[in-house]
Amino acid sequence: MSDSEDENPDKQLKIVIMGDGASGKTSLAVRYSQENFGKQYKQTVGLDFFLRRIVLPGNIHVALQLWDIGGQTLGGGMLDKYIFGAHGILLVYDITNYQSFDNLEDWYEKIREVCKDQPKLPHIALVANKSDLEHMRTVKQEKHQRFATENGFTSHFVSAKTGDSVNLCFQKISAEILGIKLTKPEVEQQTRVVKADIVQYSNAESVPRATPQQNTRSSLCSVQ
Ligand SMILES: Nc1nc2c(ncn2[C@@H]2O[C@H](COP(=O)(O)OP(=O)(O)OP(=O)(O)O)[C@@H](O)[C@H]2O)c(=O)[nH]1
Ligand SMILES: [Mg+2]
């Protein structure tokens, strides 16, 4: 006899989050592991850890260890150790900061250097963050696509601020690493839908409140 945990232990995945300072790496880790976002920038010194457990199709239990690396570590002596043994690496940039995209070449070079004796590189995901700031975008989508395609990266567009596609990003990366195919409904389930009631106020009253008649006409707004 064995209990269900013994039958189905967590698969441990080491996921390293890399990229320039202020691109939003910590914000992504915090959004994913704590469903939270802070506007204030607090630089990561060295390394921080986050953990999230998920269940993938086929009742596969996965513990994602997120290694959130400070942007200043590029060029430092510890980066090799942080990268070593990673199953997946997120290369994160800020869509409003071209330099943060350009510098990913240097981060990628470091990964190749550290992994040069391994039979294959870890799964690498190119992550465009701050998609809520589309109006300030300086990195063209074609540039992103070309960089991803040329190097065999998977491609993700997210916002740590709104949470848009953050779950989906980590879900896809984990599934890909473990060779699990996600069906369309499983992907859609991870797509965040923001729902809001539409409330129309009566002009005749000074204190605004929703009228029953108006509510029956239009009750839900769904923004994706
Ligand atoms: N608008 C917007 N701001 C974001 C988003 N993600 C992060 N930020 C902001 O960008 C700033 C930097 O975010 P961090 O997550 O600390 O950046 P980091 O990559 O961890 O930076 P280092 O620790 O220095 O490497 C903070 O002020 C965040 O609030 C996003 O998706 N949208
Ligand atoms: Mg940080």
Side-chain angles (χ1 to χ4, degrees), residues 20-27 41-45 48 68-71:
D20 272 14
S23 57
K25 299 178 297 296
T26 303
S27 302
Y41 173 40
K42 191 167 164 276
Q43 187 185 38
T44 306
V45 179
D48 265 338
D68 167 28
I69 293 180

Side-chain angles (χ1 to χ4, degrees), residues 45 102 105:
V45 179
D102 216 26
E105 284 283 4

Side-chain angles (χ1 to χ4, degrees), residues 47-68:
L47 170 71
D48 265 338
F49 291 104
F50 297 85
L51 182 79
R52 172 147 175 197
R53 290 196 161 81
I54 56 170
V55 182
L56 288 175
N59 201 27
I60 311 288
H61 291 244
V62 184
L64 287 153
Q65 304 164 4
L66 306 181
W67 292 50
D68 167 28

